[in-house]
């Protein structure tokens, strides 16, 4: 696998907080933690000495909340 750490597709570097310096799996639609491409990227990061953390997504609530905020801004409604 030709690995470019600057062009990660499935993981993101955490730059602050308790997980600073770790990479986390960024779940995208259709991207699961056990997909071949995700596993290869995780293994490549680990071989380079990086810690990779798996986190469970909260579900659709965050995405829905973000979508509702965008909708409210576009329609001129202010959240209460």
């Amino acid at each position: 696998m030709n690995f470019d750490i600057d062009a990660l597709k499935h993981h993101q570097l955490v730059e602050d907080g308790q997980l600073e310096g770790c990479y986390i799996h960024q779940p995208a639609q259709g991207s699961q933690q056990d997909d071949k491409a995700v596993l290869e990227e995780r293994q490549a990061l680990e071989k380079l000495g990086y810690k990779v953390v798996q986190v469970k997504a909260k579900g659709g609530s965050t995405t829905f909340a973000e979508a509702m905020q965008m909708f409210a801004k576009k329609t001129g409604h202010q959240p209460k």
Side-chain angles (χ1 to χ4, degrees), residues 21-53:
C22 297
Y23 282 85
I24 61 168
H25 175 234
Q26 276 301 107
Q29 188 172 7
S31 173
Q32 301 297 321
Q33 292 181 2
D34 58 351
D35 288 346
K36 183 179 179 183
V38 176
L39 289 173
E40 286 177 355
E41 194 173 274
R42 181 184 320 145
Q43 290 169 350
L45 284 166
E46 289 172 343
K47 283 181 184 177
L48 291 172
Y50 292 102
K51 184 173 181 181
V52 181
V53 179

Side-chain angles (χ1 to χ4, degrees), residues 4-38:
D4 181 5
I5 198 164
D6 295 321
L8 296 173
K9 295 181 181 178
H10 306 286
H11 294 82
Q12 179 178 359
L13 176 64
V14 178
E15 296 182 11
D16 60 2
Q18 292 180 331
L19 296 176
E20 182 177 356
C22 297
Y23 282 85
I24 61 168
H25 175 234
Q26 276 301 107
Q29 188 172 7
S31 173
Q32 301 297 321
Q33 292 181 2
D34 58 351
D35 288 346
K36 183 179 179 183
V38 176

Side-chain angles (χ1 to χ4, degrees), residues 38-80:
V38 176
L39 289 173
E40 286 177 355
E41 194 173 274
R42 181 184 320 145
Q43 290 169 350
L45 284 166
E46 289 172 343
K47 283 181 184 177
L48 291 172
Y50 292 102
K51 184 173 181 181
V52 181
V53 179
Q54 299 298 316
V55 293
K56 185 175 181 181
K58 292 181 180 179
S61 60
T62 302
T63 303
F64 178 75
E66 290 171 354
M68 290 306 294
Q69 288 175 354
M70 289 172 47
F71 179 72
K73 286 180 185 177
K74 286 181 182 179
T75 59
H77 291 85
Q78 296 298 322
K80 295 180 180 180

